[in-house]
Amino acid sequence: FCYGRLTHIYTMPHTNTPGEQQKLIIFDTTLRDGEQSPGVSLNNDEKVAIATQLSKLGVDVLEAGFPIASIGDFEAVNRIAKEVGPLMEGRERIGKPMVICGLARATTGDIKRCAEALEPAPYKRIHTFLATSDIHLQHKLKIDREECVKRAVAAVTLAKSLCDEVEFSPEDAGRSDQDFLCEVLGKVIEAGAGTLNIPDTVGYNMPEEYGSLIKYLIANTPGAEKVIWSTHCHNDLGLATANTLAGIQGGARQVEVTINGIGERAGNTAMEEVVMSIHTHPNYFPVYHTINTTLISRTSQMVSALSGMIVQPNKAIVGRNAFLHESGIHQDGVLKNKSTYEIITPETVGVTDIALVLGKHSGRNAFRERCKELGHGNISDEALQKAFVDFKALCDKQKTVNDADILAIL
């Protein structure tokens, strides 16, 4: 089983001990932020199916939805809490079921509705949020900083009275004043928040900037050592994964992610990218994960099929082309030793149907291998050369050349 740091492909095994590395909490918000992708709407059966798969995958915390949003959302969160919350299949190494989480604005109605939806889950968490940037305070909420602190503390206090685990997010933290953030976060720690999530809500930050923000907040927030710090990055500038990894280096021990990176606007941090970055560089990061990486491809395909969000072919880790090679130089190298051009084996993420893609950039060795696969392993060098020339000529005339074309040439 390719669990976290237990299996590592193509690099020297790491020498860190569990005492030197800390567990990275994988918080999946595919069913909440992911479903907010334009055009995506999942029914309750589909949500339960995805939640069940995420439990098997090894997700630590599942944000199942936004219970106040609609009756359907409430029912979905409640069903997941009841049916998926207790599941242990595939979680033997983790030793406990997923924490089921619901999102709530910093209002009494939201928080009480969230607690009601989560009630059946063995492990549950209320995640409440309030904007802290001056842009949001002035133009959206129309309140001052003092009122912001008051509302945040009241929300966390109420949530804590209804649920043992409470997470707080200062919305638009990436554009908030850092010292004001320290003030707000210090107060919500006192009120009972156990996880502080720092959202780059609009995908504005640069990686060094975001990592430094996490580090600054940990160093300057009263009570920082009592809580888990978390990342939540959006991909508006294509930096969600880079920012999340920078946040880990800055001290975050939870990451909020989605399968295939789906989410608002340009999407969220892709779980598979963060997990496989840590998996491929186990000595570089101060954390380890407990995701069963062999289920990544299957989970990606399920989310894509049910959400209708097609995964771009060149998407890292889960795209159709992620492990395909067409260049003749690359194909020749992979045929001799896969580590020449593959830093992860396809099997590590559950991909088993990989083949070399033959096209106009392919080389003679790859063509010979395909001939063998098609039952022409005894072809002479002279005949192979002629067939290869004809194959190249055909590639220049049409976009794709399939096995039937190659057999016709042979």
Side-chain angles (χ1 to χ4, degrees):
F1 292 102
C2 299
Y3 280 111
R5 60 201 174 96
L6 294 184
T7 302
H8 182 49
I9 308 301
Y10 296 148
T11 63
M12 293 296 291
H14 73 82
T15 57
N16 292 322
T17 65
E20 294 172 327
Q21 291 183 309
Q22 294 176 297
K23 166 80 162 67
L24 180 67
I25 299 167
I26 303 295
F27 178 115
D28 184 275
T29 184
T30 300
L31 295 179
R32 200 280 298 170
D33 208 334
E35 203 203 10
Q36 291 176 201
S37 302
V40 172
S41 182
L42 299 165
N43 64 43
N44 288 357
D45 289 338
E46 291 168 337
K47 289 181 180 180
V48 170
I50 291 173
T52 301
Q53 180 66 15
L54 292 172
S55 176
K56 294 175 184 177
L57 181 65
V59 165
D60 298 293
V61 184
L62 174 68
E63 190 164 54
F66 198 170
I68 199 70
S70 68
I71 293 174
D73 231 39
F74 175 90
E75 291 174 347
V77 174
N78 192 246
R79 268 191 68 186
I80 290 169
K82 188 183 303 179
E83 298 175 24
V84 183
L87 298 181
M88 276 299 295
E89 182 182 352
R91 304 185 64 82
E92 293 77 14
R93 181 165 180 253
I94 300 170
K96 58 178 279 190
M98 280 194 303
V99 175
I100 308 301
C101 177
L103 186 68
R105 291 168 299 185
T107 65
T108 300
D110 276 37
I111 293 168
K112 287 185 174 179
R113 187 69 165 162
C114 188
E116 185 183 352
L118 295 171
E119 198 278 328
Y123 296 90
K124 42 189 168 278
R125 177 187 297 182
I126 293 175
H127 178 193
T128 187
F129 68 96
L130 184 67
T132 53
S133 70
D134 290 330
I135 295 172
H136 280 240
L137 294 180
Q138 293 170 16
H139 300 289
K140 185 179 76 172
L141 299 178
K142 301 187 185 302
I143 61 174
D144 59 22
R145 290 183 176 186
E146 184 179 354
E147 178 65 18
C148 175
V149 174
K150 189 184 301 182
R151 289 190 188 183
V153 169
V156 171
T157 301
L158 175 59
K160 187 66 175 178
S161 72
L162 300 171
C163 184
D164 290 338
E165 282 196 39
V166 177
E167 176 173 333
F168 177 77
S169 289
E171 186 185 6
D172 203 24
R175 294 189 296 173
S176 297
D177 177 76
Q178 294 187 0
D179 292 328
F180 177 59
L181 274 178
C182 292
E183 179 187 349
V184 175
L185 297 174
K187 295 294 185 182
V188 298
I189 291 173
E190 287 181 11
T195 299
L196 298 183
N197 179 53
I198 310 303
D200 181 18
T201 303
V202 292
Y204 174 75
N205 294 137
M206 295 290 106
E208 185 176 354
E209 183 180 23
Y210 185 77
S212 297
L213 172 61
I214 298 289
K215 189 179 295 185
Y216 183 88
L217 295 176
I218 293 174
N220 294 281
T221 300
E225 72 285 352
K226 302 175 185 177
V227 299
I228 298 292
W229 293 81
S230 172
T231 69
H232 182 110
C233 300
H234 280 262
N235 205 38
D236 298 70
L237 294 176
L239 296 170
T241 296
N243 283 346
T244 296
L245 294 174
I248 293 172
Q249 297 292 55
R253 293 298 175 262
Q254 175 181 284
V255 291
E256 301 200 357
V257 292
T258 64
I259 298 298
N260 300 335
I262 66 173
E264 290 268 11
R265 305 180 312 279
N268 288 49
T269 304
M271 178 202 290
E272 60 275 7
E273 295 175 10
V274 173
V275 167
M276 293 313 297
S277 292
I278 294 168
H279 188 89
T280 309
H281 295 275
N283 289 313
Y284 185 78
F285 294 98
V287 296
Y288 65 93
H289 69 81
T290 49
I291 291 293
N292 182 353
T293 63
T294 62
L295 296 181
I296 286 177
S297 179
R298 191 183 315 171
T299 307
S300 166
Q301 291 168 11
M302 172 187 276
V303 170
S304 177
L306 295 181
S307 69
M309 293 278 288
I310 304 302
V311 178
Q312 66 190 63
N314 63 325
K315 166 74 175 64
I317 312 300
V318 294
R320 187 180 70 245
N321 295 350
F323 297 99
L324 298 180
H325 308 275
E326 183 175 336
S327 162
I329 296 172
H330 288 212
Q331 289 178 339
D332 183 58
V334 168
L335 287 169
K336 292 172 179 174
N337 188 315
K338 288 189 175 183
S339 65
T340 53
Y341 289 101
E342 289 183 359
I343 61 170
I344 304 164
T345 60
E347 295 80 9
T348 306
V349 294
V351 176
T352 57
D353 57 348
I354 291 300
L356 297 177
V357 178
L358 293 187
K360 66 180 181 179
H361 301 295
S362 298
R364 191 174 288 98
N365 280 352
F367 184 74
R368 184 192 299 275
E369 285 298 312
R370 182 59 57 85
C371 290
K372 288 180 182 178
E373 293 170 5
L374 295 174
H376 290 262
N378 295 323
I379 188 172
S380 68
D381 289 342
E382 183 181 353
L384 177 74
Q385 177 59 27
K386 182 179 186 305
F388 182 65
V389 171
D390 291 343
F391 163 75
K392 284 284 196 176
L394 185 60
C395 287
D396 284 332
K397 294 178 182 177
Q398 59 189 55
K399 290 185 177 181
T400 59
V401 175
N402 58 36
D403 288 348
D405 294 324
I406 295 173
L407 285 169
I409 289 171
L410 290 170

